[in-house]
């Protein structure tokens, strides 16, 4: 398995049918599973045996697809969640509790920013946001005694900043905590954060992994490298007995490679129930089967569109890490040698009005609250996701009123450019 390349893993990892069994991953459309004796079932409830008893916690279809994603990221264990939001919440809440502190890059998806800054604050979990460009000294200064995790996005949505994963991982490890990286935009085809020191990787599988705008979902992958026992007093949830499972200690019973995902399933899925439906897991797997074929095309289109936009007089700024003029070009060369993704952000000189009339004239690119889809789509945050903010507040948030986020799909780049050209005219 370790010898196999990424494309082979996209197609085949996670499920190997036996003689006469279905070639495609079966959708186990069942809430529950049957046992011959109460003793058999009791062993599952005690985590003494592995198996399925209720789809709120685990389902075989999901586990095949999660195993594929673990293989793609080079992790030891993985689980699917109902959404990317649930994945990031679970990844953090699995190791944080009331009184904990998180260090997070300030350049992250708005939904995750809100989750950490507002909703998790209500649970008594504090955060210090740091610039993705922070140096070691600034990073070190953000840590506190109660810091339990560092969080960032490989390529941030929508700012398109590139995280210096090694720098953030080193800072996290100097302070004895894991680095969690949301790898949604590049996908493991273009970057595998674990190879650069990340400990936990999360995904909104809703984006490129599904890739067809068909199913909302998320995933969490454990690298199996973070030594919880070496920092036992920080992570009592993993290193002290769990009374709800007869006092088992996850880090002892499931080891460094399995403790994180087992605890996350046994406690958080049990209590919050944010599982992905097996139907969605099946659709996600169809997307994964062609991920390695689709990503290079998204990158090709993104780069071509970014280069075209850069030459247009109506455009004041283009952000795309693959452009030589981009602030993150050097980091992109290191972490994303085959390119990052198909999302391009650019600013129109005429502000909000120009963005609105430009988007109205596009024929191929549809206005959508979505990115990373086979069909090109676009969004003007000032008139949609951020419409409650004034132009001054937008400027301060780094989202100018004329900013357009364009997610280049899988169409032919000549047609995408012609569509943009026509709308700019
Ligand atoms: C969309 C997105 C999320 C949230 O995922 P959902 O599946 O919409 O819940 C999280 N992180 C990033 C980087 C995203 O793009």
């Amino acid at each position: 398995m370790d010898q196999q390349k990424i494309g082979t893993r996209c197609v085949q990892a996670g499920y190997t049918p036996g003689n006469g069994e279905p070639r495609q991953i079966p959708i186990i459309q069942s809430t529950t599973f049957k046992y011959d004796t109460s003793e058999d079932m009791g062993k599952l409830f005690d985590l003494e045996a592995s198996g399925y008893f209720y789809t709120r916690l685990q389902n075989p279809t999901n586990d095949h697809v999660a195993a594929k994603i673990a293989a793609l990221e080079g992790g030891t264990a993985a689980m699917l969640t109902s959404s990317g939001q649930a994945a990031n919440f679970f990844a953090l809440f699995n190791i944080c509790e009331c009184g904990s502190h998180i260090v997070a890059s300030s350049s992250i998806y708005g939904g995750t920013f809100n989750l950490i800054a507002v909703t998790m604050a209500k649970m008594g979990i504090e955060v210090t946001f740091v610039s993705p460009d922070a140096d070691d000294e600034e990073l070190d200064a953000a840590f506190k005694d109660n810091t339990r995790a560092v969080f960032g996005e490989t390529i941030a949505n929508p700012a398109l900043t590139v995280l210096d994963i090694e720098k953030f991982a080193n800072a996290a490890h100097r302070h004895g905590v894991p680095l969690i990286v949301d790898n949604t935009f590049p996908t493991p085809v273009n970057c595998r954060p674990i190879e650069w020191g990340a400990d936990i990787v999360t995904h909104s599988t809703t984006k490129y992994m599904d890739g067809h705008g068909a199913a909302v979902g998320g995933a969490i992958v454990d690298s199996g490298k973070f030594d919880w026992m070496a920092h036992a007093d920080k992570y009592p949830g993993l290193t002290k007995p769990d009374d709800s499972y007869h006092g088992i200690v996850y880090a002892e019973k499931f080891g460094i490679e399995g403790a994180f995902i087992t605890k996350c399933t046994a406690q958080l899925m049990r209590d919050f129930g944010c599982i992905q439906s097996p139907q969605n897991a099946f659709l996600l797997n169809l997307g994964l089967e062609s991920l390695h074929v689709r990503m290079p095309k998204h990158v090709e289109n993104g780069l071509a569109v970014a280069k075209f936009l850069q030459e247009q007089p109506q455009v004041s700024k283009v952000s795309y890490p693959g452009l030589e003029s981009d602030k993150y070009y050097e980091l992109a060369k290191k972490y994303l040698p085959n390119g990052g993704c198909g999302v391009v952000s650019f600013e129109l000189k005429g502000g909000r009005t120009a963005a609105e009339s430009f988007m109205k004239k596009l024929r191929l690119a549809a206005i959508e609250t979505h990115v990373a889809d086979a069909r090109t789509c676009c969004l003007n945050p000032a008139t949609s996701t951020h419409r409650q903010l004034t132009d001054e507040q937008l400027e301060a948030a780094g989202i100018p009123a004329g900013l357009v986020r364009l997610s280049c799909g899988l169409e032919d780049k000549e047609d995408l450019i012609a569509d943009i050209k026509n709308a700019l005219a």
Side-chain angles (χ1 to χ4, degrees):
M1 190 65 235
D2 280 349
Q3 267 57 275
Q4 285 181 355
K5 295 189 153 181
I6 196 83
T8 306
R9 295 183 201 202
C10 282
V11 181
Q12 298 236 2
Y15 174 67
T16 311
N19 193 33
E21 287 179 359
R23 186 66 189 97
Q24 183 53 282
I25 297 178
I27 305 171
I28 306 298
Q29 193 65 44
S30 182
T31 58
T32 191
F33 301 83
K34 173 248 171 195
Y35 288 92
D36 290 338
T37 69
S38 302
E39 285 88 340
D40 286 346
M41 183 128 78
K43 284 190 195 127
L44 300 177
F45 273 89
D46 287 349
L47 303 180
E48 284 303 327
S50 65
Y52 300 92
F53 55 91
Y54 193 51
T55 290
R56 178 174 8 99
L57 288 91
Q58 267 186 304
N59 176 283
T61 307
N62 293 23
D63 284 354
H64 287 306
V65 182
K68 174 177 283 188
I69 296 174
L72 291 175
E73 288 288 4
T76 55
M79 66 198 282
L80 300 187
T81 57
S82 54
S83 67
Q85 285 300 109
N88 283 326
F89 173 59
F90 275 23
L92 288 164
F93 199 61
N94 203 33
I95 47 173
C96 293
E97 58 190 25
C98 183
S100 300
H101 172 256
I102 295 164
V103 174
S105 164
S106 58
S107 187
I108 52 174
Y109 175 65
T112 313
F113 191 95
N114 203 68
L115 166 70
I116 298 175
V118 181
T119 300
M120 292 185 75
K122 290 179 188 163
M123 301 170 165
I125 297 166
E126 335 162 73
V127 60
T128 299
F129 287 106
V130 292
S131 162
D133 310 328
D135 60 21
D136 284 345
E137 211 175 310
E138 289 167 294
L139 284 175
D140 284 338
F143 286 83
K144 302 182 182 191
D145 289 343
N146 56 343
T147 304
R148 294 294 176 264
V150 178
F151 183 89
E153 287 175 14
T154 315
I155 304 176
N157 174 11
L160 303 180
T161 54
V162 177
L163 190 75
D164 191 339
I165 302 173
E166 267 188 325
K167 184 172 72 180
F168 272 68
N170 288 338
H173 298 159
R174 273 200 298 284
H175 296 270
V177 306
L179 172 65
I180 302 174
V181 173
D182 181 331
N183 196 36
T184 297
F185 268 20
T187 83
V189 169
N190 284 337
C191 180
R192 288 177 295 281
I194 291 170
E195 292 174 1
W196 300 102
D199 301 285
I200 308 288
V201 173
T202 59
H203 281 279
S204 165
T205 62
T206 317
K207 312 295 165 54
Y208 288 117
M209 282 192 166
D210 167 67
H212 299 80
V216 171
I220 308 171
V221 183
D222 181 12
S223 68
K225 288 185 181 153
F226 193 83
D227 190 353
W228 309 105
M229 275 302 185
H231 306 282
D233 45 334
K234 283 189 178 152
Y235 302 104
L238 284 154
T239 61
K240 302 264 151 40
D242 179 356
D243 292 336
S244 63
Y245 289 103
H246 303 302
I248 64 153
V249 175
Y250 292 96
E252 276 171 1
K253 190 163 174 63
F254 302 100
I256 195 167
E257 300 188 336
F260 188 89
I261 294 294
T262 306
K263 174 182 181 287
C264 203
T265 303
Q267 291 180 346
L268 302 187
M269 263 321 169
R270 178 195 64 190
D271 297 348
F272 292 101
C274 311
I275 199 159
Q276 191 167 129
S277 83
Q279 289 275 350
N280 279 8
F282 177 84
L283 292 171
L284 167 57
N285 186 57
L286 291 184
L288 290 171
E289 286 179 0
S290 64
L291 186 65
H292 60 301
V293 182
R294 292 184 287 110
M295 287 311 291
K297 181 74 178 168
H298 283 292
V299 167
E300 179 192 328
N301 285 353
L303 186 61
V305 163
K307 282 186 173 160
F308 171 79
L309 286 166
Q310 215 175 18
E311 315 270 272
Q312 306 311 306
Q314 300 94 328
V315 175
S316 54
K317 189 178 178 223
V318 182
S319 295
Y320 187 75
L323 285 178
E324 273 175 52
S325 57
D326 195 271
K327 185 178 172 191
Y328 294 94
Y329 182 67
E330 288 304 319
L331 284 175
K333 269 207 302 196
K334 173 174 175 179
Y335 293 108
L336 307 156
N338 299 323
C341 63
V343 185
V344 182
S345 288
F346 61 99
E347 216 180 310
L348 286 167
K349 281 182 184 154
R352 191 185 298 255
T353 342
E356 255 177 313
S357 75
F358 165 76
M359 285 168 50
K360 212 180 284 174
K361 286 194 215 127
L362 289 167
R363 299 219 172 84
L364 284 176
I367 301 172
E368 288 171 29
T369 311
H370 191 39
V371 279
D373 187 58
R375 287 145 295 228
T376 295
C377 57
C378 63
L379 187 84
N380 169 229
T383 51
S384 56
T385 48
H386 294 66
R387 65 180 293 129
Q388 72 283 5
L389 303 189
T390 64
D391 283 11
E392 291 69 40
Q393 287 172 321
L394 284 168
E395 203 69 46
I399 309 164
L403 187 94
V404 177
R405 182 186 69 186
L406 185 74
S407 168
C408 298
L410 298 175
E411 302 90 343
D412 287 307
K413 60 183 180 236
E414 295 79 7
D415 291 331
L416 292 181
I417 289 171
D419 192 28
I420 295 167
K421 199 172 190 173
N422 179 58
L424 280 175

